[in-house]
Structure formats: C-alpha cells, structure tokens
Amino acid sequence: MKSRFAPSPTGYLHIGGARTALFAWLWAKKEQGQFILRIEDTDRERSTQASVDAILDGMKWLGLDHDEGPYYQTDRFDRYKTVVQQLLEEDKAYYCECSQERLQVLRDELMEKGEKAKYDGHCQHKNLTAGVVRFRNPSEGNVIFSDLVKGEISVHNKELDDLIIARSDGTPTYNLTVVVDDHDMDVNCVIRGDDHINNTPRQINLYEALGWGLPDFAHLPMILGGDGARLSKRHGAVSVMAYRDAGFLPEALLNYLVRLGWSHGDQEVFSIDEMIDLFDLKDVNKAPGSFNQDKLIWLNQEYIKSADIDHLVDQLDWHLNDQSIDISNGPDITNVIDALRERSKTLVEMAQSMKMFYQDFDQFDEKSAKKQFKPAAEPIIKALIDHYSKLEDWSSAAIHDVVKTVCDEQSVGFGKVGQPFRLALSGTGNAGSIDIVAELVGKDRTLARLQMALDYIAQIDN
Ligand code: GLU
C-alpha cells in the first residue's frame, strides 16, 4: 500500500492541502504502507523555492513524515519525454498545431450553440511532427471507476477532450506527469481533493493506453468557510504555518483537520494513534466540511491542558523567541506552564502571560489600575508588603496564609486584597492563582511590584 501527497509549490501549505496530506498519511499508516511526498513543480513560472520550503516546513511542523521523497517532477523530464514519445509512436497521441485564435473561435462557437467547449480533433489525422502533443482519447464508451469516497462514477468518453500532454516546448502537463509518477512510484491509492475529480477519467484513459494497472482513487470533499463559500484567504489564516504563529499545537490542528470530512461516532478528541487506528476512507463524508475556528480553539485548549510538558516547552520555544521572552532569569518554565495551562487558549496567550514571570514592567494596565489602585487599597498593599518582607518560607501556602491574615486584619473580603495584588503582580490583572504566581515570580520581584502599586496610588493622591 502506497499513498502520496503531491502539492504544486505555487503557494504555502494551506488548510485544504494539509487535510489532504493528513488523510493520505493516515491511510498509509493504517495500512502499514508507505507515504510519498512529491513536489509537482513542472509549472516553472508559478513554482517557487519559497513555496517548496513552506510546504516542507508545514509538513514537518504537523509531523506528517514521508517514507519516500520529496521527489521533484522537474528531475523527471526525461522520463516524461520518453512516455510522450512512446504514445506518439503507438499513435495514441498526435501533434497539433492549432493556433490559440482557432481554438478560441472554436470555443466561442460551441459555447454559443450551448455545447461543451471541446477540441474538435482538427489535427487528429494530419501526421504533424511539431506542436503540442494531444492524447488520442477514445471516442466511444464510458470511463467507469469506483471512487473510495464518492462511489461509482461514470463519464462518457464523448465528454472528454483530446488532452494536451506536452506543450510545444516539449514540457509535459499535469495529467501526464501525475499518471507517470503514480505508476512509476507504485502509488496504489490516489487520495486528493475533489477539485481533481474531472481529471480522473482522463488519467484512467492514459493508464489504459499505457497498459498500466489502475490505482484506487479517493476524492476528498472540499472545505468551506463559515459562510458556505470555499475556504480561502478571505476567511482568515489559511496557511498551516499561520496557525503555528497564532499559537496552535500541531496535534490540535491535526485533530481538527481529521474531523473536517470524517467522523467516528460523536467523538471529537483523537490522539494520533487513535486516528490511525480508527480512520477509514469509507467513513469520509461526501459532503463538504465547514471550517469552524471556535472548535479549533476549543481543541487547542484541550490539548494545551493535557499535553506532555516537554512537548509544550518545545512548542513554546518559537513563541518565546517571537515575543522576545528570555526565560534564563526566572522560575523553571515547566512550573510556569503548569500555572498557566488551564487558562491559555493558545500558546501566544500563554507566552504573553509568561512575561510576568520573566520580565519586569514599568506600567500597569491603565484601566485596571484606575479601578484597583484606589486610596482604599493603600493600607492593604502596605500590609501585604509588611508581611511578605518578613516571610521566610516563600511558598504558595504561606503566601496564601498572608492574604487571609490581611483580609482579617483589614476586615475586608478576599477580593479586596486579591484583586489589587493580582494586578500588582501581573501588570495586566491577567493571572491565575495569585499565591502560585507570587511564589514563581519570587519574593524580590513581588515586593518590588507591590511597591510600584503603592507608588501609583501615591501619584493619583496628589
Ligand atoms: N499537484 C496537484 C495539486 O496541487 C495535485 C495532484 C494530485 O494530487 O493528483 O493540486
């Protein structure tokens, strides 16, 4: 069993491509087969090295490793030429020199008559020796195949053009290269987006003309944006790496992608092993899936809560760099992650919240400060400073006891102490359990920040 992912490097790896790659990868894993990565870069004008890199980066980040490749079609031009030559020699293909103008006139005429725009076979019997090469498509009968997702599909050969398989400069076209590659690379299950389903009958005719056995085909339904239109840039970040940048974990994105067009009962959370175990092309939906950002965020949160700590440390690395957070001077990052993981929707948020543990700030969030640092808070903060400067055992339990003592001494409820304390510690008011945060922030920094809160109050007093 061999499947493949065959992207054209004309842009980054987008969500639709990643979903196709995931399904092909899962199928190979499930069948204990091989997964090939093939870069379809024959369109030299639109293919770029930057896109190749973006695809490789995206696949790597998602952990969709390949057993073979990456193969590059531009390395295989000689092979394609040989196949085109063979088809010409066997009269299964012919040269055509129809001009663009002639083809345009033909198209317009057919369209006007309400017919399908299709090549009329003008050069079929001219025995030309130059021009584009067209495949002699059978004119009778149907092409019938059983798609593993869509079921039986039948197309009459009358519907199919004499397809161009090589341009006049000799370079091969997609439908030829894909057939040659899938055959040569022993791919026996072609899994791809259903935007290619119209190509499949043409490709089947090519396989047959070449006397090659057919692979299975599975065409995946497209992905729609929330508004029902095909998912595109308009719907926000669609590049896989943009999700990394926005703070998603790769396994959360994979889990999200696997549910776009596939389901197993009403289960929502799947580990990679479970996906491999349960995935079946038979269960892929025929109807398009709709992208739902809220669900992705929910999954991400679930994964952040339960992920292995070392994995989170690895995944956070990029974000710490991105937000210029140096963790060498401060608490152990694993303790900080544990303090924050219950309340972080994304790694971007988590990294933002990490700043309070590693960076001092010189300003409080203005709106929160106006609310929390009123003159009434002054004796409370003074009392906290007083107790904490004497506290030897800088543990969350002892820190918590002090908060309780101050509540009693000042005859106020917990909120009156906790809220200004939280703002003093975090600068933003956004922090989890204050005793744990204070323990991790450390005694000196805690005292300095409480003093800064006092200074703030003194300055509004005047
Ligand atoms: N290179 C094609 C694309 O990016 C995919 C070809 C295929 O999967 O057959 O759309």
Side-chain angles (χ1 to χ4, degrees), residues 21-42:
L22 171 63
F23 282 21
W25 182 88
L26 282 174
W27 192 236
K29 293 275 171 221
K30 165 146 198 130
E31 301 283 305
Q32 288 161 330
Q34 311 268 294
F35 175 66
I36 296 182
L37 179 60
R38 182 171 74 229
I39 305 292
E40 304 212 319
D41 55 350
T42 51

Side-chain angles (χ1 to χ4, degrees), residues 448-462:
R449 288 177 194 181
L450 285 166
Q451 185 56 49
M452 207 176 118
L454 272 190
D455 296 346
Y456 180 95
I457 297 173
Q459 152 249 304
I460 48 155
D461 270 354
N462 304 322

Side-chain angles (χ1 to χ4, degrees), residues 5 77 127 165 168 184 224 231 234 403 424 426 461:
F5 177 51
F77 275 155
N127 291 320
I165 55 174
S168 48
D184 288 2
L224 306 177
L231 188 69
R234 217 159 36 77
V403 172
S426 60
D461 270 354

Side-chain angles (χ1 to χ4, degrees), residues 4 6-8 40 174 178 192 196:
R4 55 31 166 214
S8 303
E40 304 212 319
Y174 159 69
V178 78
R192 60 186 169 203
H196 282 289

